Amino acid sequence: MNRVEAEERQFSLLLALVDTSVGFTKHELFVRVAGYQGQPVGDALERMFERDKDALREHGIVIDVVQPPGDDSNQEARYRVLDGVLGSPAELQFDAEERDLLDLALRVWHEGGLTEESQRAALKLRADPEFRGGLPLERTPGRTSDPDGAEPATASILQPRQRPRESAFQALKRAADRRREVVFDYLKPGERTPRSRTVQPWAAVLFRGRWMLVGHDLGAEDTRTFLMQRIVSPVKDRAAKQPFEAPGDAATTALAKLEEIWATASVGVHALPGSDADIRLRHRRDTSEEDGLLVVHHADRHLIADELTGFGSDVAVAWPAEQRELVRQRLERIRDAHAEATGEAAS
Amino acid sequence: MSESRIERGIGLLLSLIQYVTASGSVTVQEAAAHFGVPEQRIREAVERVFMAGVPDGAGDFIRFDIDFDAFEQQDVISVTMRPAFEDETVRLSPREASALIAGLTLVAGYTEAAPERVAALRDKLRSAASQGADTVAVDTLAVPLAAQRIRDAIRDRSVLAIDYRKPGAGTQRRRIAPVALNLNEGQVFVEAADLDKQGMRTFRLDRIEAIEPTHDAWPYALPERERTVTGSAQVVATRAAAAMLRDYATSEPVSVDGERVRLDIEVWSEPAVLRAVAACGGDAEIVAPASLRRAMHRFAVDALGGPSGEREQTPRD
């Protein structure tokens, strides 16, 4: 068998697809593309074609299928690269200051939830010989740190990092791309037992350092936001029972809603003056002082209860009463769980 | 040099075509350094590009062409014929653009770039992406003034005096030579040489109460970073709480009863560990050592009893 590497075959497929304006039928592609040529037509070749389309999609190359009216045999369907996938190389050229900023922007995701996309983006940007950003520092030419050297580069001053704490992230993104619904066990803040959720995944939102999934919860029949960190099972995906399309502004709408909750939800706390809690809560975004109390904003009463519990005796919740109760319950659970000299859970 | 999954695939081939064309001619070595991949990977990519071509309709191809003698004898890549991607290239996918825009949103405030330059770059990235739903968004961080002052000190190599509060200790004045700002999960940390303690230290920006310039000389050599871990603790937690403690974990979580997992965490400072475990809101239990269990118990009892007499709770609903 004339074995052509997948990479070479996919590149040949792309070349064929960008060269046509009317598109090629599958049969035409099988005859024309190196790697398909000479292979027996059948399930194996069809599967190879599907895999190659998926691989191109990962690079942002979406293949459009045009079905002639009245034809359902799929034999006459024409494949071509979606308009707008290709643009001018000049669109991806940036000046020195922009390159510096992009380098930093890419660095944020070195180990984080958007690592794959940022690496792919970096590869596209490096088509410009002037662009050297987005590589780990130790692999960046001329970027080894020199203690007596000139002014340190921005990238060595600022080390942004978003770690891949949320293992569900990749699975959710992949499902969202392929418009498949996802099923996972979710431990809602404040609850002790996870519940299975079925969701049409729309978008990922990073809010106050936490990644969240926004989607349509099929059980609740409404839009819901899930903390990725609280997805406690592997994410399974399956064909959507109802085909769905993420709203174009899903991410920004969700972010605006979270900002709104944050602006209106607050807790009044006494913090021991000068304590760690006092300093950190004062530095927290939007904290204000009122009648000797710190007014602390949050997006979820259970999450802020957890955070306040972590400050122990440095803080006491003044209002609302419900919030005081949530912190008290947590402290009682901690006290009771640690009452015996040896852990109940010890083996 | 390691090679990621991303660099094995047609992304590199596409980028390489543009890169070589824009450069005129480059050596394999230069291209490998530019893309951060082994030279062999560049040679392989070149061969694959120039093996492929645009179908001419008659079963053959119009192929890319290079100066093959220069490639084989001098390791020089020089394109002579491009049947595709002459003046077009694959745009950023919506998610690639989102990753760049999201990253930019997180860091821009810490740089010296003017806000309107950043906004213009964001727009440029949006228009350089193919159409698609907006699937990633991040909130804008308010950049503390302290971060800007530290950034300037790093750039200018000036020593600062800071008032710093460590958990379980009072405020201390420290003289530091800052070397980096780490933005980590929404928290800002300052990496610095502590000139009084003669060691590299990490400071949380939100524990710095005041910053003042000094006239002290920048240290001739920076001290080695040392990591002081005093011991380890065993914790049993729900999976969600275990995820919150993951930064401190030294073992993979092992399931104990279906809903909870066991994991070992580093103890670098007892007050800090107690806070981290308590911030799981009762979903994490210290199993061992017994002394730390007792400390965790005391922590909760103290907090329930109120921190001091004057701090009677004053409900106000």
Side-chain angles (χ1 to χ4, degrees), chain A residues 7 87 93 97 117 123 126 139 157 159 161 163 204 208 270 274 276 283 285 313 333, chain B residues 15 34 36 41 89 95 117 124 135 139-140 165 181-184 206-207 283 307 311:
Chain A
E7 178 181 83
Q93 278 167 8
E97 192 188 12
E117 322 21 38
L123 200 49
R126 264 179 269 146
R139 282 168 63 193
I157 293 183
Q159 297 169 356
R161 188 158 303 158
R163 260 172 289 183
R208 309 290 188 260
H270 289 283
D276 186 45
H283 279 126
R285 184 165 176 152
S313 58
R333 279 178 55 204
Chain B
S15 218
H34 182 77
R41 170 64 183 131
T89 188
R95 252 200 355 234
R117 286 280 286 155
K124 193 169 167 184
T135 56
D139 58 347
T140 319
R165 176 167 299 268
L181 274 175
N182 289 333
L183 313 185
N184 202 336
D206 62 2
R207 284 193 181 130
D283 288 345
R311 295 182 63 234

mmCIF file of all heavy atoms in Angstrom, chain A residues 7 87 93 97 117 123 126 139 157 159 161 163 204 208 270 274 276 283 285 313 333, chain B residues 15 34 36 41 89 95 117 124 135 139-140 165 181-184 206-207 283 307 311:
data_model
loop_
_atom_site.group_PDB
_atom_site.id
_atom_site.type_symbol
_atom_site.label_atom_id
_atom_site.label_comp_id
_atom_site.label_asym_id
_atom_site.label_seq_id
_atom_site.Cartn_x
_atom_site.Cartn_y
_atom_site.Cartn_z
ATOM 1 N N GLU A 7 -0.375 13.814 7.809
ATOM 2 C CA GLU A 7 -0.112 15.243 7.674
ATOM 3 C C GLU A 7 -0.063 15.664 6.198
ATOM 4 O O GLU A 7 -0.635 16.668 5.799
ATOM 5 C CB GLU A 7 1.230 15.525 8.344
ATOM 6 C CG GLU A 7 1.682 16.951 8.268
ATOM 7 C CD GLU A 7 3.035 17.095 8.945
ATOM 8 O OE1 GLU A 7 4.067 16.817 8.308
ATOM 9 O OE2 GLU A 7 3.041 17.451 10.116
ATOM 10 N N GLY A 87 -7.667 34.408 4.690
ATOM 11 C CA GLY A 87 -7.546 35.865 4.680
ATOM 12 C C GLY A 87 -6.157 36.247 4.219
ATOM 13 O O GLY A 87 -5.355 35.386 3.861
ATOM 14 N N GLN A 93 -0.075 40.311 10.740
ATOM 15 C CA GLN A 93 1.213 40.950 10.997
ATOM 16 C C GLN A 93 1.031 42.080 11.991
ATOM 17 O O GLN A 93 0.072 42.841 11.892
ATOM 18 C CB GLN A 93 1.815 41.474 9.699
ATOM 19 C CG GLN A 93 2.533 40.360 8.946
ATOM 20 C CD GLN A 93 2.873 40.737 7.532
ATOM 21 O OE1 GLN A 93 2.709 41.888 7.130
ATOM 22 N NE2 GLN A 93 3.327 39.758 6.779
ATOM 23 N N GLU A 97 5.232 46.585 19.386
ATOM 24 C CA GLU A 97 4.509 46.659 20.653
ATOM 25 C C GLU A 97 3.392 45.615 20.701
ATOM 26 O O GLU A 97 3.177 44.950 21.711
ATOM 27 C CB GLU A 97 3.916 48.065 20.863
ATOM 28 C CG GLU A 97 3.414 48.248 22.285
ATOM 29 C CD GLU A 97 2.644 49.555 22.498
ATOM 30 O OE1 GLU A 97 2.299 50.233 21.503
ATOM 31 O OE2 GLU A 97 2.381 49.883 23.655
ATOM 32 N N GLU A 117 -5.321 26.107 21.837
ATOM 33 C CA GLU A 117 -5.648 27.205 20.923
ATOM 34 C C GLU A 117 -4.531 28.229 20.879
ATOM 35 O O GLU A 117 -4.243 28.793 19.845
ATOM 36 C CB GLU A 117 -6.853 28.004 21.271
ATOM 37 C CG GLU A 117 -8.116 27.558 21.831
ATOM 38 C CD GLU A 117 -8.303 26.321 22.556
ATOM 39 O OE1 GLU A 117 -7.415 25.926 23.332
ATOM 40 O OE2 GLU A 117 -9.362 25.730 22.379
ATOM 41 N N LEU A 123 1.540 29.479 16.341
ATOM 42 C CA LEU A 123 2.114 28.903 15.127
ATOM 43 C C LEU A 123 1.700 29.737 13.906
ATOM 44 O O LEU A 123 2.514 30.013 13.024
ATOM 45 C CB LEU A 123 1.613 27.463 15.007
ATOM 46 C CG LEU A 123 2.385 26.498 14.135
ATOM 47 C CD1 LEU A 123 3.867 26.543 14.448
ATOM 48 C CD2 LEU A 123 1.853 25.080 14.350
ATOM 49 N N ARG A 126 3.584 32.996 13.914
ATOM 50 C CA ARG A 126 5.009 32.868 13.599
ATOM 51 C C ARG A 126 5.279 32.737 12.104
ATOM 52 O O ARG A 126 6.429 32.661 11.684
ATOM 53 C CB ARG A 126 5.635 31.718 14.385
ATOM 54 C CG ARG A 126 6.309 32.250 15.656
ATOM 55 C CD ARG A 126 6.921 31.171 16.491
ATOM 56 N NE ARG A 126 5.959 30.703 17.460
ATOM 57 C CZ ARG A 126 5.874 29.454 17.888
ATOM 58 N NH1 ARG A 126 6.694 28.547 17.416
ATOM 59 N NH2 ARG A 126 4.973 29.125 18.771
ATOM 60 N N ARG A 139 12.759 28.078 25.177
ATOM 61 C CA ARG A 139 12.850 27.725 23.760
ATOM 62 C C ARG A 139 12.830 28.951 22.865
ATOM 63 O O ARG A 139 12.825 28.837 21.652
ATOM 64 C CB ARG A 139 11.701 26.782 23.387
ATOM 65 C CG ARG A 139 11.953 25.352 23.853
ATOM 66 C CD ARG A 139 10.702 24.502 23.732
ATOM 67 N NE ARG A 139 10.264 24.362 22.346
ATOM 68 C CZ ARG A 139 9.082 23.886 22.005
ATOM 69 N NH1 ARG A 139 8.229 23.534 22.921
ATOM 70 N NH2 ARG A 139 8.764 23.760 20.742
ATOM 71 N N ILE A 157 9.406 40.120 33.005
ATOM 72 C CA ILE A 157 8.891 40.862 34.154
ATOM 73 C C ILE A 157 7.584 40.250 34.614
ATOM 74 O O ILE A 157 7.335 40.049 35.784
ATOM 75 C CB ILE A 157 8.620 42.346 33.774
ATOM 76 C CG1 ILE A 157 9.933 43.057 33.482
ATOM 77 C CG2 ILE A 157 7.854 43.048 34.884
ATOM 78 C CD1 ILE A 157 9.776 44.522 33.179
ATOM 79 N N GLN A 159 4.862 37.276 34.553
ATOM 80 C CA GLN A 159 4.697 35.857 34.255
ATOM 81 C C GLN A 159 3.258 35.457 34.508
ATOM 82 O O GLN A 159 2.906 35.050 35.598
ATOM 83 C CB GLN A 159 5.668 35.037 35.101
ATOM 84 C CG GLN A 159 7.099 35.388 34.758
ATOM 85 C CD GLN A 159 8.106 34.815 35.720
ATOM 86 O OE1 GLN A 159 7.752 34.196 36.727
ATOM 87 N NE2 GLN A 159 9.362 35.017 35.427
ATOM 88 N N ARG A 161 -0.064 33.246 34.302
ATOM 89 C CA ARG A 161 -0.259 31.802 34.213
ATOM 90 C C ARG A 161 -1.659 31.429 34.666
ATOM 91 O O ARG A 161 -2.148 31.917 35.663
ATOM 92 C CB ARG A 161 0.762 31.132 35.133
ATOM 93 C CG ARG A 161 0.813 29.655 35.000
ATOM 94 C CD ARG A 161 2.151 29.177 35.489
ATOM 95 N NE ARG A 161 3.217 29.817 34.754
ATOM 96 C CZ ARG A 161 4.463 29.940 35.210
ATOM 97 N NH1 ARG A 161 4.781 29.516 36.391
ATOM 98 N NH2 ARG A 161 5.382 30.509 34.463
ATOM 99 N N ARG A 163 -3.447 27.904 35.308
ATOM 100 C CA ARG A 163 -3.140 26.469 35.285
ATOM 101 C C ARG A 163 -4.336 25.600 34.907
ATOM 102 O O ARG A 163 -5.466 25.996 35.114
ATOM 103 C CB ARG A 163 -2.588 26.021 36.629
ATOM 104 C CG ARG A 163 -1.077 25.914 36.560
ATOM 105 C CD ARG A 163 -0.494 25.666 37.897
ATOM 106 N NE ARG A 163 -0.611 26.863 38.720
ATOM 107 C CZ ARG A 163 -0.106 26.920 39.944
ATOM 108 N NH1 ARG A 163 0.485 25.879 40.471
ATOM 109 N NH2 ARG A 163 -0.218 28.026 40.634
ATOM 110 N N ALA A 204 -17.095 29.105 27.371
ATOM 111 C CA ALA A 204 -16.303 29.074 28.609
ATOM 112 C C ALA A 204 -16.050 30.506 29.043
ATOM 113 O O ALA A 204 -15.740 31.365 28.221
ATOM 114 C CB ALA A 204 -14.983 28.370 28.359
ATOM 115 N N ARG A 208 -13.274 36.082 37.831
ATOM 116 C CA ARG A 208 -12.568 36.181 39.107
ATOM 117 C C ARG A 208 -11.702 34.942 39.352
ATOM 118 O O ARG A 208 -11.723 34.347 40.427
ATOM 119 C CB ARG A 208 -13.545 36.361 40.267
ATOM 120 C CG ARG A 208 -14.559 37.469 40.086
ATOM 121 C CD ARG A 208 -13.943 38.852 40.145
ATOM 122 N NE ARG A 208 -14.971 39.881 40.166
ATOM 123 C CZ ARG A 208 -15.369 40.591 39.105
ATOM 124 N NH1 ARG A 208 -14.780 40.410 37.923
ATOM 125 N NH2 ARG A 208 -16.293 41.507 39.201
ATOM 126 N N HIS A 270 -17.033 41.758 59.925
ATOM 127 C CA HIS A 270 -16.043 42.344 60.817
ATOM 128 C C HIS A 270 -14.745 41.618 60.531
ATOM 129 O O HIS A 270 -14.729 40.391 60.539
ATOM 130 C CB HIS A 270 -16.359 42.000 62.289
ATOM 131 C CG HIS A 270 -17.549 42.697 62.826
ATOM 132 N ND1 HIS A 270 -17.524 44.012 63.196
ATOM 133 C CD2 HIS A 270 -18.794 42.240 63.095
ATOM 134 C CE1 HIS A 270 -18.711 44.349 63.667
ATOM 135 N NE2 HIS A 270 -19.505 43.289 63.625
ATOM 136 N N GLY A 274 -6.027 44.713 60.925
ATOM 137 C CA GLY A 274 -4.638 44.355 60.684
ATOM 138 C C GLY A 274 -4.410 42.870 60.448
ATOM 139 O O GLY A 274 -3.286 42.448 60.178
ATOM 140 N N ASP A 276 -4.674 39.124 58.514
ATOM 141 C CA ASP A 276 -4.521 38.690 57.130
ATOM 142 C C ASP A 276 -5.849 38.882 56.387
ATOM 143 O O ASP A 276 -5.884 39.384 55.267
ATOM 144 C CB ASP A 276 -4.113 37.215 57.152
ATOM 145 C CG ASP A 276 -3.794 36.685 55.770
ATOM 146 O OD1 ASP A 276 -3.088 37.390 55.031
ATOM 147 O OD2 ASP A 276 -4.248 35.577 55.445
ATOM 148 N N HIS A 283 -8.261 44.366 49.906
ATOM 149 C CA HIS A 283 -7.690 44.383 48.564
ATOM 150 C C HIS A 283 -8.589 43.702 47.535
ATOM 151 O O HIS A 283 -8.323 43.755 46.348
ATOM 152 C CB HIS A 283 -6.321 43.676 48.553
ATOM 153 C CG HIS A 283 -5.213 44.559 49.025
ATOM 154 N ND1 HIS A 283 -4.368 44.198 50.042
ATOM 155 C CD2 HIS A 283 -4.819 45.782 48.615
ATOM 156 C CE1 HIS A 283 -3.496 45.175 50.238
ATOM 157 N NE2 HIS A 283 -3.750 46.141 49.385
ATOM 158 N N ARG A 285 -11.494 42.915 45.057
ATOM 159 C CA ARG A 285 -12.171 43.811 44.124
ATOM 160 C C ARG A 285 -13.502 44.339 44.699
ATOM 161 O O ARG A 285 -14.308 43.558 45.189
ATOM 162 C CB ARG A 285 -12.450 43.023 42.867
ATOM 163 C CG ARG A 285 -13.052 43.811 41.771
ATOM 164 C CD ARG A 285 -12.887 42.956 40.562
ATOM 165 N NE ARG A 285 -13.506 43.564 39.414
ATOM 166 C CZ ARG A 285 -13.076 43.330 38.187
ATOM 167 N NH1 ARG A 285 -12.063 42.526 37.990
ATOM 168 N NH2 ARG A 285 -13.669 43.869 37.172
ATOM 169 N N SER A 313 -11.041 32.720 62.717
ATOM 170 C CA SER A 313 -11.478 33.685 63.723
ATOM 171 C C SER A 313 -11.110 35.125 63.366
ATOM 172 O O SER A 313 -11.421 36.036 64.115
ATOM 173 C CB SER A 313 -10.893 33.307 65.084
ATOM 174 O OG SER A 313 -9.492 33.281 64.978
ATOM 175 N N ARG A 333 -19.022 21.871 60.961
ATOM 176 C CA ARG A 333 -18.647 20.615 60.292
ATOM 177 C C ARG A 333 -17.157 20.354 60.449
ATOM 178 O O ARG A 333 -16.731 19.224 60.654
ATOM 179 C CB ARG A 333 -19.027 20.659 58.818
ATOM 180 C CG ARG A 333 -20.502 20.342 58.605
ATOM 181 C CD ARG A 333 -20.859 20.441 57.145
ATOM 182 N NE ARG A 333 -20.004 19.588 56.323
ATOM 183 C CZ ARG A 333 -19.773 19.805 55.039
ATOM 184 N NH1 ARG A 333 -20.296 20.851 54.452
ATOM 185 N NH2 ARG A 333 -19.001 18.987 54.371
ATOM 186 N N SER B 15 2.353 27.501 8.126
ATOM 187 C CA SER B 15 3.103 28.634 8.641
ATOM 188 C C SER B 15 4.483 28.714 7.990
ATOM 189 O O SER B 15 4.984 29.796 7.699
ATOM 190 C CB SER B 15 3.239 28.478 10.152
ATOM 191 O OG SER B 15 3.122 29.707 10.794
ATOM 192 N N HIS B 34 13.280 29.434 14.937
ATOM 193 C CA HIS B 34 12.115 30.317 14.901
ATOM 194 C C HIS B 34 10.865 29.597 15.394
ATOM 195 O O HIS B 34 10.056 30.156 16.128
ATOM 196 C CB HIS B 34 11.900 30.827 13.478
ATOM 197 C CG HIS B 34 10.748 31.776 13.352
ATOM 198 N ND1 HIS B 34 10.816 33.078 13.751
ATOM 199 C CD2 HIS B 34 9.482 31.597 12.891
ATOM 200 C CE1 HIS B 34 9.655 33.666 13.542
ATOM 201 N NE2 HIS B 34 8.822 32.784 13.030
ATOM 202 N N GLY B 36 10.883 26.768 17.158
ATOM 203 C CA GLY B 36 11.114 26.028 18.388
ATOM 204 C C GLY B 36 10.918 24.529 18.216
ATOM 205 O O GLY B 36 10.365 23.864 19.085
ATOM 206 N N ARG B 41 12.491 18.069 12.125
ATOM 207 C CA ARG B 41 11.060 18.326 11.905
ATOM 208 C C ARG B 41 10.879 19.339 10.769
ATOM 209 O O ARG B 41 9.946 19.232 9.968
ATOM 210 C CB ARG B 41 10.430 18.837 13.208
ATOM 211 C CG ARG B 41 9.016 19.366 13.082
ATOM 212 C CD ARG B 41 8.013 18.280 12.668
ATOM 213 N NE ARG B 41 6.684 18.824 12.476
ATOM 214 C CZ ARG B 41 5.916 18.595 11.412
ATOM 215 N NH1 ARG B 41 6.356 17.822 10.419
ATOM 216 N NH2 ARG B 41 4.721 19.114 11.315
ATOM 217 N N THR B 89 -3.888 33.204 3.516
ATOM 218 C CA THR B 89 -3.457 32.262 4.538
ATOM 219 C C THR B 89 -4.659 31.886 5.387
ATOM 220 O O THR B 89 -5.714 32.509 5.293
ATOM 221 C CB THR B 89 -2.331 32.892 5.391
ATOM 222 O OG1 THR B 89 -1.814 31.891 6.255
ATOM 223 C CG2 THR B 89 -2.848 34.050 6.229
ATOM 224 N N ARG B 95 -11.800 30.405 18.226
ATOM 225 C CA ARG B 95 -11.281 30.111 19.565
ATOM 226 C C ARG B 95 -9.839 30.528 19.748
ATOM 227 O O ARG B 95 -9.419 30.915 20.832
ATOM 228 C CB ARG B 95 -11.478 28.646 19.902
ATOM 229 C CG ARG B 95 -12.569 28.533 20.925
ATOM 230 C CD ARG B 95 -12.618 27.279 21.717
ATOM 231 N NE ARG B 95 -11.697 26.273 21.349
ATOM 232 C CZ ARG B 95 -12.069 25.037 21.051
ATOM 233 N NH1 ARG B 95 -13.321 24.704 21.069
ATOM 234 N NH2 ARG B 95 -11.166 24.152 20.762
ATOM 235 N N ARG B 117 -4.311 51.408 22.506
ATOM 236 C CA ARG B 117 -3.517 50.481 21.690
ATOM 237 C C ARG B 117 -4.021 49.051 21.904
ATOM 238 O O ARG B 117 -4.121 48.262 20.979
ATOM 239 C CB ARG B 117 -2.037 50.551 22.104
ATOM 240 C CG ARG B 117 -1.335 51.800 21.649
ATOM 241 C CD ARG B 117 -0.925 51.697 20.198
ATOM 242 N NE ARG B 117 0.209 50.818 20.012
ATOM 243 C CZ ARG B 117 0.476 50.183 18.873
ATOM 244 N NH1 ARG B 117 -0.319 50.322 17.847
ATOM 245 N NH2 ARG B 117 1.534 49.406 18.770
ATOM 246 N N LYS B 124 -8.294 44.243 16.011
ATOM 247 C CA LYS B 124 -7.534 43.671 14.893
ATOM 248 C C LYS B 124 -7.595 42.135 14.958
ATOM 249 O O LYS B 124 -7.771 41.470 13.942
ATOM 250 C CB LYS B 124 -6.084 44.159 14.987
ATOM 251 C CG LYS B 124 -5.270 43.893 13.742
ATOM 252 C CD LYS B 124 -3.934 44.618 13.791
ATOM 253 C CE LYS B 124 -3.023 44.090 12.702
ATOM 254 N NZ LYS B 124 -1.685 44.682 12.740
ATOM 255 N N THR B 135 -17.100 32.165 22.050
ATOM 256 C CA THR B 135 -17.216 31.027 22.965
ATOM 257 C C THR B 135 -16.315 31.134 24.184
ATOM 258 O O THR B 135 -16.328 30.254 25.027
ATOM 259 C CB THR B 135 -16.875 29.702 22.251
ATOM 260 O OG1 THR B 135 -15.578 29.824 21.692
ATOM 261 C CG2 THR B 135 -17.873 29.387 21.170
ATOM 262 N N ASP B 139 -13.175 38.108 32.486
ATOM 263 C CA ASP B 139 -13.447 39.409 33.083
ATOM 264 C C ASP B 139 -12.171 40.249 33.099
ATOM 265 O O ASP B 139 -11.067 39.720 33.107
ATOM 266 C CB ASP B 139 -14.049 39.265 34.491
ATOM 267 C CG ASP B 139 -13.161 38.490 35.447
ATOM 268 O OD1 ASP B 139 -12.200 37.845 34.980
ATOM 269 O OD2 ASP B 139 -13.422 38.516 36.650
ATOM 270 N N THR B 140 -12.335 41.550 33.071
ATOM 271 C CA THR B 140 -11.183 42.445 33.086
ATOM 272 C C THR B 140 -10.722 42.622 34.523
ATOM 273 O O THR B 140 -11.537 42.836 35.412
ATOM 274 C CB THR B 140 -11.567 43.828 32.543
ATOM 275 O OG1 THR B 140 -12.413 43.621 31.425
ATOM 276 C CG2 THR B 140 -10.353 44.608 32.127
ATOM 277 N N ARG B 165 2.442 41.528 55.503
ATOM 278 C CA ARG B 165 1.836 40.780 56.591
ATOM 279 C C ARG B 165 1.793 39.301 56.227
ATOM 280 O O ARG B 165 1.211 38.911 55.235
ATOM 281 C CB ARG B 165 0.416 41.258 56.837
ATOM 282 C CG ARG B 165 -0.303 40.458 57.899
ATOM 283 C CD ARG B 165 -1.549 41.152 58.318
ATOM 284 N NE ARG B 165 -1.207 42.443 58.875
ATOM 285 C CZ ARG B 165 -0.987 42.618 60.169
ATOM 286 N NH1 ARG B 165 -1.060 41.619 61.009
ATOM 287 N NH2 ARG B 165 -0.696 43.816 60.616
ATOM 288 N N LEU B 181 6.539 39.585 38.345
ATOM 289 C CA LEU B 181 5.165 39.570 38.854
ATOM 290 C C LEU B 181 4.531 38.305 38.295
ATOM 291 O O LEU B 181 4.529 38.108 37.089
ATOM 292 C CB LEU B 181 4.392 40.763 38.289
ATOM 293 C CG LEU B 181 4.461 42.112 38.988
ATOM 294 C CD1 LEU B 181 3.707 43.131 38.152
ATOM 295 C CD2 LEU B 181 3.869 42.037 40.379
ATOM 296 N N ASN B 182 4.010 37.471 39.155
ATOM 297 C CA ASN B 182 3.310 36.287 38.655
ATOM 298 C C ASN B 182 1.819 36.501 38.784
ATOM 299 O O ASN B 182 1.320 36.760 39.866
ATOM 300 C CB ASN B 182 3.684 35.043 39.473
ATOM 301 C CG ASN B 182 5.098 34.609 39.198
ATOM 302 O OD1 ASN B 182 5.611 34.863 38.118
ATOM 303 N ND2 ASN B 182 5.721 33.969 40.164
ATOM 304 N N LEU B 183 1.124 36.379 37.671
ATOM 305 C CA LEU B 183 -0.337 36.458 37.722
ATOM 306 C C LEU B 183 -0.812 35.022 37.704
ATOM 307 O O LEU B 183 -0.595 34.315 36.742
ATOM 308 C CB LEU B 183 -0.899 37.164 36.494
ATOM 309 C CG LEU B 183 -0.260 38.471 36.070
ATOM 310 C CD1 LEU B 183 -1.050 39.060 34.918
ATOM 311 C CD2 LEU B 183 -0.225 39.428 37.231
ATOM 312 N N ASN B 184 -1.430 34.615 38.769
ATOM 313 C CA ASN B 184 -1.761 33.205 38.883
ATOM 314 C C ASN B 184 -3.199 33.052 39.334
ATOM 315 O O ASN B 184 -3.521 33.381 40.460
ATOM 316 C CB ASN B 184 -0.803 32.599 39.905
ATOM 317 C CG ASN B 184 -0.668 31.128 39.733
ATOM 318 O OD1 ASN B 184 -1.558 30.482 39.188
ATOM 319 N ND2 ASN B 184 0.427 30.580 40.202
ATOM 320 N N ASP B 206 -1.714 41.040 47.603
ATOM 321 C CA ASP B 206 -2.788 41.550 48.467
ATOM 322 C C ASP B 206 -2.423 41.503 49.948
ATOM 323 O O ASP B 206 -3.232 41.837 50.801
ATOM 324 C CB ASP B 206 -4.134 40.869 48.168
ATOM 325 C CG ASP B 206 -4.133 39.379 48.426
ATOM 326 O OD1 ASP B 206 -3.095 38.848 48.874
ATOM 327 O OD2 ASP B 206 -5.175 38.739 48.188
ATOM 328 N N ARG B 207 -1.205 41.081 50.280
ATOM 329 C CA ARG B 207 -0.766 41.175 51.675
ATOM 330 C C ARG B 207 0.243 42.309 51.864
ATOM 331 O O ARG B 207 0.790 42.472 52.942
ATOM 332 C CB ARG B 207 -0.109 39.858 52.117
ATOM 333 C CG ARG B 207 -1.114 38.766 52.393
ATOM 334 C CD ARG B 207 -0.464 37.611 53.118
ATOM 335 N NE ARG B 207 -1.434 36.579 53.351
ATOM 336 C CZ ARG B 207 -1.250 35.286 53.052
ATOM 337 N NH1 ARG B 207 -0.111 34.903 52.512
ATOM 338 N NH2 ARG B 207 -2.181 34.413 53.305
ATOM 339 N N ASP B 283 -15.625 20.465 53.424
ATOM 340 C CA ASP B 283 -15.593 19.322 52.514
ATOM 341 C C ASP B 283 -14.235 18.623 52.515
ATOM 342 O O ASP B 283 -14.005 17.714 51.719
ATOM 343 C CB ASP B 283 -15.935 19.775 51.083
ATOM 344 C CG ASP B 283 -17.408 20.125 50.947
ATOM 345 O OD1 ASP B 283 -18.186 19.754 51.854
ATOM 346 O OD2 ASP B 283 -17.788 20.770 49.957
ATOM 347 N N PRO B 307 -13.515 35.767 67.636
ATOM 348 C CA PRO B 307 -12.083 35.994 67.753
ATOM 349 C C PRO B 307 -11.698 36.745 69.022
ATOM 350 O O PRO B 307 -10.657 36.499 69.599
ATOM 351 C CB PRO B 307 -11.754 36.813 66.518
ATOM 352 C CG PRO B 307 -13.045 37.434 66.099
ATOM 353 C CD PRO B 307 -14.127 36.529 66.564
ATOM 354 N N ARG B 311 -15.609 41.653 69.614
ATOM 355 C CA ARG B 311 -16.195 41.426 68.311
ATOM 356 C C ARG B 311 -17.500 40.657 68.393
ATOM 357 O O ARG B 311 -17.703 39.689 67.693
ATOM 358 C CB ARG B 311 -15.188 40.770 67.382
ATOM 359 C CG ARG B 311 -14.036 41.724 67.129
ATOM 360 C CD ARG B 311 -13.039 41.165 66.202
ATOM 361 N NE ARG B 311 -13.630 40.936 64.884
ATOM 362 C CZ ARG B 311 -13.580 39.795 64.272
ATOM 363 N NH1 ARG B 311 -13.013 38.772 64.833
ATOM 364 N NH2 ARG B 311 -14.097 39.658 63.086
#
